[in-house]
């Protein structure tokens, strides 16, 4: 989700929250009879004849269509995951802009390399945009009894190999460890 969508969500929620708090406070004060000069009841007789006007179905229909379009736009803005497929690689002026790296393939290769470590059981990788930054994320499944120094060495080797393939500063690496229960603990219980 982009920063613009997040900012719009927060602004709309803030405005709705403030409006609901103000309306609720007014209704409580009015209901207790503490609002000076307020009537005992509210009359909406002016609205009784509105649905009989010829423009009413058109206004209602246009309002409904606009509400549906705004809702669809909000759903699409929230559903869209920003993924990066390729980035340009540096080169001399004759090939600039023509040499590209396929980031999902790079993420798969990095995950495969990480999974080859004896300290890592499995790994998977993907590329995403997180707050405007391209991130290559690797998720490594390790045993709870795994040697963390060995896991770190495997991650460092993968990071160093990625630095050779990708231009510095273009893609950030994030490694998450999915730690599962140790086989040794499970064997003791059985």
């Amino acid at each position: 989700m982009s920063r613009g969508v997040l900012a719009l969500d927060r602004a709309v929620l803030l405005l709705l929250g403030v409006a609901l708090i103000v309306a609720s406070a007014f209704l409580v004060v009015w209901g207790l009879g503490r609002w000076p000069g307020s009537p005992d009841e509210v009359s909406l007789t002016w609205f009784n004849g509105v649905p009989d006007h010829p423009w009413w179905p058109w206004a209602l229909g246009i309002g409904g269509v606009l509400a549906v379009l705004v809702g669809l736009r909000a759903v699409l803005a929230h559903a869209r995951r920003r993924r990066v497929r390729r980035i340009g690689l540096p080169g001399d002026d004759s090939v600039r802009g023509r040499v590209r790296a396929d980031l999902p393939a790079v993420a798969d290769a990095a995950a495969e390399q990480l999974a080859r470590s004896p300290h890592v059981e499995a790994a998977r990788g993907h590329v995403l945009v997180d707050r405007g930054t391209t991130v290559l994320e690797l998720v490594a499944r390790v045993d709870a009894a795994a040697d963390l120094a060995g896991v770190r060495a495997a991650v460092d080797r993968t990071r160093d190999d990625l630095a050779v393939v990708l231009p510095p500063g273009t893609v950030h690496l994030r490694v998450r460890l999915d730690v599962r229960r140790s086989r040794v603990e499970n064997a003791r219980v059985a």
Side-chain angles (χ1 to χ4, degrees):
M1 196 176 324
S2 72
R3 286 183 183 198
V5 172
L6 288 173
L8 180 64
D9 282 353
R10 289 177 180 153
V12 168
L13 286 175
L14 177 68
L15 289 174
L16 283 174
V18 168
L20 287 173
I21 289 170
V22 168
S24 299
F26 171 75
L27 289 175
V28 167
V29 170
W30 180 60
L32 293 173
R34 305 259 192 238
W35 195 268
S38 64
D40 292 337
E41 59 184 46
V42 177
S43 173
L44 297 177
T45 56
W46 59 270
F47 185 75
N48 290 341
V50 171
D52 297 332
H53 287 87
W55 55 265
W56 177 250
W58 288 100
L60 200 59
I62 290 171
V65 168
L66 287 176
V68 167
L69 291 176
V70 168
L72 284 175
R73 172 71 174 107
V75 167
L76 290 175
H78 286 84
R80 190 178 322 144
R81 284 199 79 177
R82 297 183 60 200
R83 294 205 181 258
V84 178
R85 300 295 302 168
R86 292 182 175 86
I87 61 166
L89 296 177
D92 62 18
D93 290 336
S94 65
V95 294
R96 187 172 307 279
R98 288 190 252 161
V99 179
R100 298 191 179 279
D102 182 12
L103 289 179
V106 172
D108 290 343
E112 187 178 316
Q113 177 186 346
L114 188 58
R116 278 192 226 121
S117 168
H119 308 286
V120 177
E121 293 179 357
R124 66 184 189 281
H126 59 276
V127 181
L128 55 103
V129 176
D130 185 8
R131 290 173 262 166
T133 303
T134 303
V135 177
L136 189 150
E137 184 175 62
L138 298 175
V139 180
R141 189 175 69 222
V142 298
D143 190 77
D147 176 26
L148 289 182
V151 173
R152 181 181 174 118
V155 169
D156 288 344
R157 279 192 304 275
T158 303
R159 182 201 59 219
D160 293 343
D161 288 347
L162 283 172
V164 171
V165 174
L166 299 173
T170 56
V171 177
H172 296 278
L173 176 64
R174 179 189 307 159
V175 179
R176 288 189 350 212
L177 297 181
D178 181 13
V179 181
R180 67 175 196 82
R181 292 186 101 161
S182 174
R183 291 183 200 157
V184 175
E185 288 178 20
N186 290 340
R188 275 191 239 150
V189 173

